[in-house]
């Protein structure tokens, strides 16, 4: 039997967050009906990751792929999630999958969101884009966002600048003004976030002077495809952690 896919989301007090996560998981289930997919939250929402793992163990499940619903390898992927998995019932064999980003599919999703917000391919060469992420204190995560912005610039945009809603600079509004000063005819903001919430709302406020604000990635088909690729890769490799009941 295939391992159960446990999608691990951060959680939020904002109900839009959980609703978006569940919509994405429904899409994943529709794409891969052969895989059992469960959802657990680190904080604020239920079911908790620990609760899901205990329920799976009680059912007799043995193999699980735990997939962080994150775009970069920051603190949650490196510390919080491994800590929760270490406390899982001992009879579970758990592989932790890689985070979703970076991926060319996510760039495709970002671009499609911009077109859905009103841009056209003809606007591309004259439009500057702010790649607006939640932000992190982890230098690796910040560097990844900067690398994605550079890569995306090479696909034909006038310019692409990274921005951060917290923990790092520049802010979205500063990046918008920088692109205006650069001479871009239009400025668009592409939130590099998965679900609505406090920080995405901050990105939206920072986009007040932009011409276009795209929606969050949400339950985009590209996101679902990346998620399944990460699951398949983890399922095919050796166990990250193996515990055997006494």
């Amino acid at each position: 039997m295939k391992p159960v896919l446990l999608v691990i989301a951060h959680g939020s007090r904002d109900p839009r967050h959980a609703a978006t996560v569940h919509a994405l998981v429904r899409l994943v289930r529709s794409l891969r009906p052969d895989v059992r997919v469960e959802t657990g939250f680190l904080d604020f929402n239920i079911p908790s990751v620990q609760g899901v793992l205990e329920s799976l163990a009680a059912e007799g499940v043995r193999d699980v792929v735990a997939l962080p619903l994150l775009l970069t390898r920051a603190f949650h992927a490196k510390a919080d999630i491994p800590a929760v998995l270490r406390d899982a019932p001992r009879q579970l064999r758990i592989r932790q999958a890689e985070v979703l980003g970076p991926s060319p599919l996510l760039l495709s999703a970002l671009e499609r969101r911009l077109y859905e917000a009103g841009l056209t391919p003809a606007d591309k060469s004259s439009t500057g884009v702010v790649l607006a992420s939640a932000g992190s204190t982890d230098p690796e995560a910040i560097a990844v966002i900067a690398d994605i912005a550079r890569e995306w610039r090479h696909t034909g945009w006038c310019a692409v600048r990274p921005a951060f809603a917290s923990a790092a600079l520049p802010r979205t509004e500063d990046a918008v003004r920088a692109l205006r000063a650069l001479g871009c005819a239009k400025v668009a903001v592409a939130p590099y976030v998965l679900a609505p919430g406090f920080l995405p709302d901050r990105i939206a406020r920072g986009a007040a002077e932009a011409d276009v604000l795209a929606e969050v990635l949400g339950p985009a088909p590209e996101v679902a495809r990346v998620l399944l690729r990460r699951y398949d890769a983890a399922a095919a490799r050796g166990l990250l952690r193996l515990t055997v009941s006494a």
Side-chain angles (χ1 to χ4, degrees), residues 114-139:
L114 287 172
Y115 294 147
E116 290 170 350
L119 290 179
T120 70
D123 296 318
K124 198 167 183 178
S125 63
S126 60
T127 301
V129 179
V130 178
L131 179 67
S133 77
S136 174
T137 57
D138 189 310

Side-chain angles (χ1 to χ4, degrees), residues 26-220:
R26 285 195 296 272
L27 177 57
V28 170
R29 288 186 181 125
S30 72
L31 293 173
R32 288 289 294 275
D34 59 319
V35 176
R36 178 177 175 181
V37 186
E38 300 292 342
T39 309
F41 296 90
L42 291 174
D43 206 353
F44 302 117
N45 302 105
I46 56 173
S48 68
V49 176
Q50 187 66 28
V52 174
L53 291 170
E54 290 173 358
S55 294
L56 291 173
E59 291 179 31
V61 170
R62 291 296 176 263
D63 292 302
V64 176
V65 168
L67 191 147
L69 197 61
L70 300 168
L71 295 172
T72 59
R73 265 183 50 80
F75 181 79
H76 294 304
K78 294 177 180 178
D80 284 353
I81 291 174
V84 173
L85 298 182
R86 282 194 294 271
D87 290 336
R90 293 181 59 81
Q91 63 265 41
L92 291 177
R93 298 184 291 262
I94 301 176
R95 302 165 174 91
Q96 181 175 330
E98 295 295 331
V99 298
L100 301 181
S103 167
L105 280 171
L106 296 179
L107 282 181
S108 296
L110 286 168
E111 196 151 312
R112 187 166 57 79
R113 289 291 189 231
L114 287 172
Y115 294 147
E116 290 170 350
L119 290 179
T120 70
D123 296 318
K124 198 167 183 178
S125 63
S126 60
T127 301
V129 179
V130 178
L131 179 67
S133 77
S136 174
T137 57
D138 189 310
E140 178 187 348
I142 298 302
V144 165
I145 299 301
D147 288 343
I148 293 170
R150 282 191 292 270
E151 178 182 348
W152 204 13
R153 164 67 182 84
H154 293 313
T155 66
W157 296 101
C158 175
V160 181
R161 296 288 177 87
F164 307 94
S166 67
L169 296 174
R171 294 287 184 257
T172 301
E173 53 268 33
D174 297 324
V176 168
R177 292 171 189 141
L179 289 171
R180 291 274 188 224
L182 192 64
C184 298
K186 291 184 178 180
V187 176
V189 174
Y192 190 57
V193 292
L194 287 166
F198 177 75
L199 293 178
D201 284 349
R202 181 180 288 177
I203 290 171
R205 290 193 297 272
E209 297 178 18
D211 300 292
V212 172
L213 170 63
E215 293 293 329
V216 300
L217 291 169

